[in-house]
Amino acid sequence: MSENEGSEMKRSSKAKNILTQINSQTKLGDLRKIAKDTKKDHELAMELWSTEEFLPRLLAILIMDKKLLSQEVLDKLDMDMQTHTFDERNNLMDWLMANQLTKDKKTISFIESWESSPSALQRRTFWYYQARLRWTGQAPPDNTEDLLAAVEANIAQEEPEVQWAMNFIAGWIGIYDERYRARCIKLGEETGLYKGEMVSKGCTPNYLPEFIAIEVNKRNKN
């Protein structure tokens, strides 16, 4: 018997009932509604997480107790995410960041310590969080120079998921801080990351010269 089969046999009636409500047609809004009805329940969250399935894990994240998210627990969740596809594991970590990790000073301090984490997902979250501080319109911390220097030094040899987040923060620095705009555009030209990438209608390209120009124009920041 596999570990997953054993977990299934021991699963509570509450978990079984919730799992009957989740299928391939379930939307994120549906998960949020279930989470709202369920409220915070860390034990149930861990049951749903043990399914090893993407949508139940997204729901699990919504009902976790952030006070129980130690670095050790986060490392275990990170390791579990590695069984998912590239896009799914990035989505799981982004969902965890947005719905749990940014809600408490303790978990924010974990994110801020992940710049050199051995985990690519954690490094990605460090950079994505720094970008989030800027795109949400908050006054950014006074670490822009250091961040940009680190991106310039390391982006070329980083893992693809981390490259994306580093590129993303360089974009938002270039958009919101005119002092660094030319430098961020030059970074995009030198790395060539995402140049010529096809994007859906209405979406902004990731290639820094295009990304910055489009978003600056939207905000009349030129």
Side-chain angles (χ1 to χ4, degrees):
M1 182 188 297
S2 72
E3 183 179 343
N4 198 32
E5 288 170 332
S7 299
E8 189 171 338
M9 289 180 66
K10 294 183 287 187
R11 199 160 289 148
S12 69
S13 58
K14 199 170 184 180
K16 288 177 181 176
N17 178 53
I18 285 175
L19 289 170
T20 64
Q21 301 172 54
I22 301 174
N23 56 54
S24 60
Q25 305 304 310
T26 302
K27 306 286 192 295
L28 296 183
D30 301 326
L31 295 180
R32 289 195 180 279
K33 186 177 185 308
I34 296 170
K36 186 177 179 182
D37 294 340
T38 306
K39 300 185 171 54
K40 182 168 61 182
D41 188 332
H42 198 77
E43 186 175 345
L44 177 59
M46 292 300 99
E47 278 196 85
L48 297 174
W49 189 265
S50 73
T51 63
E52 302 180 7
E53 295 177 15
F54 180 59
L55 291 173
R57 283 186 162 179
L58 288 176
L59 176 57
I61 287 169
L62 293 177
I63 61 173
M64 286 176 182
D65 184 349
K66 58 183 175 291
K67 293 184 175 60
L68 300 178
L69 296 177
S70 64
Q71 180 65 57
E72 184 180 7
V73 170
L74 292 171
D75 286 342
K76 175 64 168 63
L77 296 178
D78 181 341
M79 190 180 306
D80 291 344
M81 290 177 199
Q82 302 306 317
T83 63
H84 291 267
T85 65
F86 180 83
D87 287 341
E88 282 189 356
R89 65 176 179 261
N90 288 333
N91 288 338
L92 283 165
M93 186 57 108
D94 292 350
W95 189 253
L96 180 62
M97 180 189 81
N99 291 287
Q100 293 289 357
L101 302 184
T102 59
K103 308 295 186 184
D104 186 88
K105 287 182 179 178
K106 180 187 80 171
T107 44
I108 287 173
S109 72
F110 292 148
I111 296 175
E112 292 173 336
S113 73
W114 287 347
E115 182 178 358
S116 300
S117 168
S119 159
L121 272 180
Q122 291 180 20
R123 294 197 304 279
R124 180 183 192 274
T125 303
F126 169 84
W127 293 106
Y128 194 22
Y129 174 70
Q130 293 294 332
R132 190 175 187 269
L133 291 177
R134 288 158 172 84
W135 99 66
T136 52
Q138 301 177 50
D142 59 357
N143 60 351
T144 299
E145 173 63 40
D146 291 341
L147 290 177
L148 189 51
V151 170
E152 290 167 334
N154 300 308
I155 191 169
Q157 59 264 26
E158 258 296 2
E159 298 293 333
E161 60 267 51
V162 187
Q163 280 187 331
W164 176 86
M166 289 176 132
N167 189 79
F168 194 57
I169 189 172
W172 287 104
I173 289 172
I175 291 157
Y176 278 107
D177 199 328
E178 196 171 356
R179 293 171 299 167
Y180 297 105
R181 191 169 296 159
R183 188 169 158 188
C184 292
I185 290 170
K186 183 182 177 188
L187 174 67
E189 291 169 343
E190 289 179 346
T191 64
L193 280 173
Y194 313 112
K195 187 174 184 180
E197 179 186 53
M198 300 298 291
V199 296
S200 302
K201 187 176 180 181
C203 293
T204 307
N206 286 308
Y207 181 50
L208 285 177
E210 295 175 357
F211 178 54
I212 292 169
I214 290 168
E215 294 296 332
V216 165
N217 188 54
K218 279 184 189 176
R219 292 161 176 76
N220 296 315
K221 285 187 172 290
N222 47 356

